[in-house]
Amino acid sequence: MKKTYSESRLFSIGIMGMDRGEGVTALAVGLASYLQEVRCKRVALAEMNGESSFEQIKDTYFGKNYHEIPFEIFRIHYYPSITKAQYSKICNMEYDCIVTDFGCEYQKSIEDFLRCDKKIVMGSVNLWKYQKYLEFYEYAKNFPGIGKWLFLLSGDEDDIKMIKGKHNIEVMNKKFFLNPYGISETEAVYYEAILL
């Protein structure tokens, strides 16, 4: 039986990008918001990359003199730039879901990514990004269960269909939303489809 976030004591979602600028942090925040706001889950949002995006969120929201970790925005606990040891501690706290932003340095974080219940990879098959997709696929194709990972891709519809068939992967079109903190009905439908 397929395991979903509603059937597990702790459900972990890992998101990584094939390249910078694919929208990993925006999706992580959006999914966490959906899980908290619509599904009423206790959510931790963890950052396991060297990009410091969560630190920028904290500075913008609370100011540079705010140092409390985790910091909380709309009932979601944010853990910026955590280590593996810190991640283990978070996994043993009273959260229903952990959404982890692995950024785009996938070779450094693949081991932790593979431990997640739901694995999401973001990329593009546009001509100027297609090589990045191929590099990622060549790196990851022999990992167990890659056919069950969800690839969120942008690009030409025919190219996406071709890749889905050729590489036998699960693919959805990548969408961007202006405000990942407020969940509209359209966004809720999209996030629900991602979690199926």
Side-chain angles (χ1 to χ4, degrees), residues 164-176:
K164 181 177 180 179
K166 182 178 179 183
H167 292 161
N168 195 27
I169 56 174
E170 186 179 343
V171 178
M172 281 179 59
N173 286 343
K174 181 168 53 171
K175 293 185 181 179
F176 292 103

PDB file of all heavy atoms in Angstrom, residues 164-176:
ATOM      1  N   LYS A 164       9.597  11.306 -19.882  1.00  0.00           N
ATOM      2  CA  LYS A 164       8.825  10.454 -18.970  1.00  0.00           C
ATOM      3  C   LYS A 164       8.801   9.012 -19.476  1.00  0.00           C
ATOM      4  O   LYS A 164       9.023   8.066 -18.711  1.00  0.00           O
ATOM      5  CB  LYS A 164       7.402  10.998 -18.835  1.00  0.00           C
ATOM      6  CG  LYS A 164       6.536  10.203 -17.891  1.00  0.00           C
ATOM      7  CD  LYS A 164       5.166  10.830 -17.749  1.00  0.00           C
ATOM      8  CE  LYS A 164       4.302  10.014 -16.802  1.00  0.00           C
ATOM      9  NZ  LYS A 164       2.972  10.611 -16.612  1.00  0.00           N
ATOM     10  N   GLY A 165       8.536   8.839 -20.760  1.00  0.00           N
ATOM     11  CA  GLY A 165       8.498   7.498 -21.334  1.00  0.00           C
ATOM     12  C   GLY A 165       9.868   6.853 -21.439  1.00  0.00           C
ATOM     13  O   GLY A 165      10.052   5.686 -21.091  1.00  0.00           O
ATOM     14  N   LYS A 166      10.830   7.606 -21.899  1.00  0.00           N
ATOM     15  CA  LYS A 166      12.177   7.075 -22.127  1.00  0.00           C
ATOM     16  C   LYS A 166      12.870   6.680 -20.831  1.00  0.00           C
ATOM     17  O   LYS A 166      13.533   5.647 -20.752  1.00  0.00           O
ATOM     18  CB  LYS A 166      13.014   8.121 -22.871  1.00  0.00           C
ATOM     19  CG  LYS A 166      14.420   7.673 -23.213  1.00  0.00           C
ATOM     20  CD  LYS A 166      15.157   8.753 -23.978  1.00  0.00           C
ATOM     21  CE  LYS A 166      16.585   8.334 -24.306  1.00  0.00           C
ATOM     22  NZ  LYS A 166      17.325   9.404 -24.981  1.00  0.00           N
ATOM     23  N   HIS A 167      12.703   7.505 -19.795  1.00  0.00           N
ATOM     24  CA  HIS A 167      13.412   7.266 -18.542  1.00  0.00           C
ATOM     25  C   HIS A 167      12.538   6.600 -17.478  1.00  0.00           C
ATOM     26  O   HIS A 167      13.019   6.344 -16.369  1.00  0.00           O
ATOM     27  CB  HIS A 167      13.989   8.580 -18.011  1.00  0.00           C
ATOM     28  CG  HIS A 167      15.082   9.113 -18.882  1.00  0.00           C
ATOM     29  ND1 HIS A 167      15.489  10.425 -18.843  1.00  0.00           N
ATOM     30  CD2 HIS A 167      15.869   8.519 -19.821  1.00  0.00           C
ATOM     31  CE1 HIS A 167      16.462  10.619 -19.711  1.00  0.00           C
ATOM     32  NE2 HIS A 167      16.713   9.481 -20.313  1.00  0.00           N
ATOM     33  N   ASN A 168      11.273   6.374 -17.803  1.00  0.00           N
ATOM     34  CA  ASN A 168      10.361   5.692 -16.880  1.00  0.00           C
ATOM     35  C   ASN A 168      10.327   6.365 -15.508  1.00  0.00           C
ATOM     36  O   ASN A 168      10.556   5.738 -14.475  1.00  0.00           O
ATOM     37  CB  ASN A 168      10.737   4.209 -16.748  1.00  0.00           C
ATOM     38  CG  ASN A 168       9.630   3.409 -16.100  1.00  0.00           C
ATOM     39  OD1 ASN A 168       8.461   3.764 -16.180  1.00  0.00           O
ATOM     40  ND2 ASN A 168      10.000   2.313 -15.448  1.00  0.00           N
ATOM     41  N   ILE A 169      10.073   7.677 -15.516  1.00  0.00           N
ATOM     42  CA  ILE A 169      10.006   8.445 -14.269  1.00  0.00           C
ATOM     43  C   ILE A 169       8.632   9.091 -14.141  1.00  0.00           C
ATOM     44  O   ILE A 169       7.908   9.255 -15.119  1.00  0.00           O
ATOM     45  CB  ILE A 169      11.102   9.531 -14.207  1.00  0.00           C
ATOM     46  CG1 ILE A 169      11.018  10.472 -15.419  1.00  0.00           C
ATOM     47  CG2 ILE A 169      12.488   8.894 -14.085  1.00  0.00           C
ATOM     48  CD1 ILE A 169      11.970  11.652 -15.358  1.00  0.00           C
ATOM     49  N   GLU A 170       8.290   9.443 -12.910  1.00  0.00           N
ATOM     50  CA  GLU A 170       7.032  10.125 -12.625  1.00  0.00           C
ATOM     51  C   GLU A 170       7.272  11.624 -12.789  1.00  0.00           C
ATOM     52  O   GLU A 170       8.178  12.190 -12.170  1.00  0.00           O
ATOM     53  CB  GLU A 170       6.589   9.808 -11.194  1.00  0.00           C
ATOM     54  CG  GLU A 170       5.237  10.337 -10.834  1.00  0.00           C
ATOM     55  CD  GLU A 170       4.832   9.964  -9.415  1.00  0.00           C
ATOM     56  OE1 GLU A 170       5.425   9.052  -8.825  1.00  0.00           O
ATOM     57  OE2 GLU A 170       3.917  10.635  -8.913  1.00  0.00           O
ATOM     58  N   VAL A 171       6.471  12.273 -13.632  1.00  0.00           N
ATOM     59  CA  VAL A 171       6.697  13.679 -13.951  1.00  0.00           C
ATOM     60  C   VAL A 171       5.408  14.485 -13.801  1.00  0.00           C
ATOM     61  O   VAL A 171       4.331  14.031 -14.175  1.00  0.00           O
ATOM     62  CB  VAL A 171       7.220  13.848 -15.403  1.00  0.00           C
ATOM     63  CG1 VAL A 171       7.419  15.322 -15.739  1.00  0.00           C
ATOM     64  CG2 VAL A 171       8.516  13.091 -15.609  1.00  0.00           C
ATOM     65  N   MET A 172       5.548  15.686 -13.235  1.00  0.00           N
ATOM     66  CA  MET A 172       4.489  16.692 -13.252  1.00  0.00           C
ATOM     67  C   MET A 172       5.096  17.988 -13.768  1.00  0.00           C
ATOM     68  O   MET A 172       6.300  18.208 -13.627  1.00  0.00           O
ATOM     69  CB  MET A 172       3.934  16.948 -11.835  1.00  0.00           C
ATOM     70  CG  MET A 172       2.947  15.917 -11.343  1.00  0.00           C
ATOM     71  SD  MET A 172       2.373  16.270  -9.646  1.00  0.00           S
ATOM     72  CE  MET A 172       1.635  17.909  -9.838  1.00  0.00           C
ATOM     73  N   ASN A 173       4.254  18.832 -14.351  1.00  0.00           N
ATOM     74  CA  ASN A 173       4.722  20.150 -14.762  1.00  0.00           C
ATOM     75  C   ASN A 173       4.998  21.006 -13.532  1.00  0.00           C
ATOM     76  O   ASN A 173       4.215  21.009 -12.585  1.00  0.00           O
ATOM     77  CB  ASN A 173       3.688  20.847 -15.648  1.00  0.00           C
ATOM     78  CG  ASN A 173       3.636  20.257 -17.032  1.00  0.00           C
ATOM     79  OD1 ASN A 173       4.546  19.551 -17.456  1.00  0.00           O
ATOM     80  ND2 ASN A 173       2.565  20.527 -17.751  1.00  0.00           N
ATOM     81  N   LYS A 174       6.100  21.714 -13.591  1.00  0.00           N
ATOM     82  CA  LYS A 174       6.474  22.603 -12.495  1.00  0.00           C
ATOM     83  C   LYS A 174       5.642  23.876 -12.580  1.00  0.00           C
ATOM     84  O   LYS A 174       5.487  24.457 -13.653  1.00  0.00           O
ATOM     85  CB  LYS A 174       7.967  22.920 -12.594  1.00  0.00           C
ATOM     86  CG  LYS A 174       8.483  23.819 -11.500  1.00  0.00           C
ATOM     87  CD  LYS A 174       9.995  23.876 -11.459  1.00  0.00           C
ATOM     88  CE  LYS A 174      10.632  24.226 -12.762  1.00  0.00           C
ATOM     89  NZ  LYS A 174      12.074  24.483 -12.653  1.00  0.00           N
ATOM     90  N   LYS A 175       5.087  24.288 -11.435  1.00  0.00           N
ATOM     91  CA  LYS A 175       4.322  25.535 -11.377  1.00  0.00           C
ATOM     92  C   LYS A 175       4.921  26.441 -10.315  1.00  0.00           C
ATOM     93  O   LYS A 175       5.440  25.971  -9.309  1.00  0.00           O
ATOM     94  CB  LYS A 175       2.856  25.254 -11.031  1.00  0.00           C
ATOM     95  CG  LYS A 175       2.112  24.505 -12.112  1.00  0.00           C
ATOM     96  CD  LYS A 175       0.654  24.365 -11.757  1.00  0.00           C
ATOM     97  CE  LYS A 175      -0.087  23.583 -12.836  1.00  0.00           C
ATOM     98  NZ  LYS A 175      -1.505  23.414 -12.509  1.00  0.00           N
ATOM     99  N   PHE A 176       4.821  27.731 -10.557  1.00  0.00           N
ATOM    100  CA  PHE A 176       5.282  28.719  -9.585  1.00  0.00           C
ATOM    101  C   PHE A 176       4.093  29.534  -9.103  1.00  0.00           C
ATOM    102  O   PHE A 176       3.225  29.906  -9.889  1.00  0.00           O
ATOM    103  CB  PHE A 176       6.330  29.658 -10.211  1.00  0.00           C
ATOM    104  CG  PHE A 176       7.622  28.978 -10.521  1.00  0.00           C
ATOM    105  CD1 PHE A 176       7.943  28.617 -11.825  1.00  0.00           C
ATOM    106  CD2 PHE A 176       8.526  28.690  -9.516  1.00  0.00           C
ATOM    107  CE1 PHE A 176       9.139  27.979 -12.116  1.00  0.00           C
ATOM    108  CE2 PHE A 176       9.734  28.052  -9.806  1.00  0.00           C
ATOM    109  CZ  PHE A 176      10.033  27.708 -11.104  1.00  0.00           C
TER     110      PHE A 176
END
